[in-house]
């Protein structure tokens, strides 16, 4: 499914002013699009509950979590 060219991308409040900023945009049917500023053409699409679960796991365990 192609991403809307006019998607409302928003920079994460945790991203610095330098490179490697994370952007998110709402998608259809309760999905979220994610991209990184260095490679904006590469877009990850996930469901909101799965993204919330990932964020909770990172907050609880740090970024070095393993499945």
């Amino acid at each position: 499914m192609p991403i809307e060219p006019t998607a409302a991308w928003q920079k994460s409040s945790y991203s610095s002013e330098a490179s490697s900023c994370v952007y998110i945009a709402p998608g259809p049917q309760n999905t979220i699009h994610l991209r990184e500023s260095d490679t904006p053409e590469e877009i990850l699409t996930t469901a909101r509950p799965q993204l919330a679960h990932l964020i909770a796991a990172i907050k609880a365990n740090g970024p070095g979590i393993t499945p």
Side-chain angles (χ1 to χ4, degrees):
M1 169 178 11
I3 306 302
E4 293 282 332
T6 58
W9 292 101
Q10 179 179 346
K11 185 169 78 167
S12 168
S13 61
Y14 288 98
S15 292
S16 67
E17 293 299 320
S19 63
S20 300
C21 297
V22 175
Y23 289 83
I24 76 166
Q29 301 173 340
N30 204 32
T31 60
I32 291 284
H33 303 302
L34 302 160
R35 71 180 186 188
E36 200 265 332
S37 61
D38 290 342
T39 53
E41 67 281 355
E42 296 178 21
I43 298 171
L44 171 70
T45 301
T46 188
R48 289 176 185 262
Q50 283 79 3
L51 180 59
H53 180 73
L54 173 65
I55 292 169
I58 291 170
K59 284 181 177 180
N61 302 307
I65 61 171
T66 56

